[in-house]
Amino acid sequence: MKIVAITGKEQSEIKDVPDPVIRTPFAKIKITRVPLCTEWKNWVDGSVSETLGHEAVGIIAAQSHFRPSIAWRTAYRRWKRTSRSA
């Protein structure tokens, strides 16, 4: 996959890195838009970073096989039972 990295003072580049491994209960998201918040300050100062943008938007590219725990299923069933009677 490709990432944008700050490599020096007012310098950035697109790098190829290995695809992440998906683990339960996560999904891999294909990022379509990433606004930069305060990362522009790192770009101006030259603080090297490969983690830019924390408010990304995208689509699910792949997902792990998620099996909810027994405690989670029990709580959900209890909630569903009580919400029907309300």
Side-chain angles (χ1 to χ4, degrees):
M1 78 176 188
K2 297 189 182 298
I3 64 165
V4 176
I6 297 172
T7 56
K9 189 173 178 98
E10 297 185 7
Q11 295 179 345
S12 58
E13 65 182 55
I14 296 173
K15 291 185 172 185
D16 284 313
V17 297
D19 283 348
V21 176
I22 306 167
R23 295 197 175 105
T24 301
F26 300 103
K28 182 167 41 171
I29 308 298
K30 180 180 179 183
I31 304 300
T32 55
R33 302 284 185 274
V34 180
L36 294 181
C37 191
T38 57
E39 289 88 356
W40 68 271
K41 293 178 183 179
N42 294 339
W43 185 75
V44 171
D45 295 340
S47 301
V48 176
S49 177
E50 291 187 349
T51 54
L52 306 176
H54 59 273
E55 298 170 336
V57 175
I59 58 172
I60 297 173
Q63 58 187 2
S64 66
H65 298 287
F66 175 62
R67 182 167 165 75
S69 68
I70 292 171
W72 185 87
R73 285 186 298 225
T74 304
Y76 175 74
R77 287 184 189 131
R78 207 173 285 148
W79 170 81
K80 201 161 178 152
R81 211 175 22 244
T82 58
S83 65
R84 272 188 268 157
S85 62

